Amino acid sequence: HPSGPSVIKSSNEPLLNHLLSNVDSLGDEEKKVFGTDLPFLFKALSVAKALSIQAHPNKKHAEELFATRPDLYKDPNHKPEMVTAWLGPFEALCGFRPVADIKFFLQEIDELAAVVGKSACEALVKAESDSGEMQALRECFSALMNTSEESIASALKQFEQRIPSLSAEKKDALQCDLFTRIATDFPGDVGCWSVYFMNYVVLQEGESMFLGPNVPHAYIFG
């Protein structure tokens, strides 16, 4: 990657330059798909607190972004990810929860329903077909992300203050420990509510998960 290219240890030559002048370094199947490039990016992450919510474009969209906004999107490749827990458990949010789960949280957490808005919540509850549910979910999440910072911060504070009064069973059902951890690190941030829209995944050491194009995700800890 241009922002952190791999180099040949013996010569300090950038890997891409080496491949361009040593095409036999790559196998035939590799060259059929990627030409003389080796577009794999290795990252070693140590996540002390939640990273930002992200979603990576597909190949076609990546090429368009590189062509039109090379200052922001540095290469024409898509970025599907395979994350592996290496030193102990790894926590992440990945993709949207089943709609039934999201409906439950909206019905149980008045503060969340308030920032999403009554009409969007009702549309999700009443949706019957899969396509209808997906459209309603899109509207709910969009409404949440476009709510004013003041309203988000106020609702978060109200819910945080209400948590101690909940029963242990209710706290567990509403994943209050996870919510509180993120809200403590990012007070007033709309991303705190993403706990109730996205799947919470815990990988044990050696386990992996794949993140395809346009799948929203955020790494929490590990």
Side-chain angles (χ1 to χ4, degrees):
H1 193 280
S3 297
S6 299
V7 298
I8 303 301
K9 184 176 181 179
S10 59
S11 63
N12 211 39
E13 179 187 19
L15 176 59
L16 181 56
N17 292 8
H18 176 81
L19 295 176
L20 290 172
S21 57
N22 296 271
V23 294
D24 291 337
S25 296
L26 296 172
D28 291 337
E29 292 303 314
E30 168 72 16
K31 285 184 284 191
K32 285 179 183 179
V33 178
F34 298 115
T36 55
D37 199 359
L38 188 67
F40 296 91
L41 181 63
F42 176 82
K43 296 181 181 180
L45 299 177
S46 178
V47 183
K49 60 182 182 180
L51 304 181
S52 60
I53 300 171
Q54 302 180 27
H56 304 304
N58 60 29
K59 176 65 173 173
K60 182 175 183 295
H61 192 194
E63 292 173 346
E64 293 172 354
L65 289 172
F66 178 64
T68 58
R69 302 297 300 275
D71 55 321
L72 297 177
Y73 206 85
K74 305 294 185 179
D75 69 89
N77 292 311
H78 55 332
K79 302 288 188 299
E81 293 186 13
M82 176 75 77
V83 58
T84 299
W86 189 249
L87 299 173
F90 190 87
E91 301 173 66
L93 298 175
C94 173
F96 286 107
R97 292 177 179 272
V99 172
D101 292 352
I102 298 173
K103 290 179 181 179
F104 169 76
F105 290 130
L106 289 172
Q107 292 167 341
E108 291 291 326
I109 305 174
D110 293 340
E111 297 85 354
L112 174 59
V115 292
V116 170
K118 182 178 180 180
S119 60
C121 289
E122 289 181 347
L124 185 63
V125 170
K126 294 178 180 178
E128 296 180 355
S129 66
D130 290 345
S131 60
E133 285 186 338
M134 288 302 100
Q135 179 58 34
L137 174 56
R138 180 191 297 271
E139 292 175 2
C140 282
F141 197 67
S142 178
L144 172 68
M145 289 297 169
N146 286 289
T147 299
S148 70
E149 293 182 4
E150 295 77 11
S151 296
I152 291 293
S154 176
L156 287 170
K157 186 176 181 180
Q158 289 175 32
F159 184 48
E160 287 181 81
Q161 292 176 338
R162 187 163 67 87
I163 287 175
S165 66
L166 300 177
S167 67
E169 183 180 9
K170 182 69 72 173
K171 289 178 183 177
D172 185 57
L174 298 182
Q175 300 204 336
C176 291
D177 285 348
L178 176 62
F179 170 85
T180 300
R181 284 169 51 200
I182 296 177
T184 298
D185 287 334
F186 300 95
D189 192 303
V190 64
C192 299
W193 290 124
S194 63
V195 168
Y196 299 113
F197 281 86
M198 297 170 67
N199 293 301
Y200 173 54
V201 178
V202 180
L203 301 176
Q204 298 303 318
E205 186 172 325
E207 292 183 333
S208 301
M209 71 175 177
F210 176 75
L211 303 167
N214 300 316
V215 175
H217 59 278
Y219 299 143
I220 305 300
F221 183 83

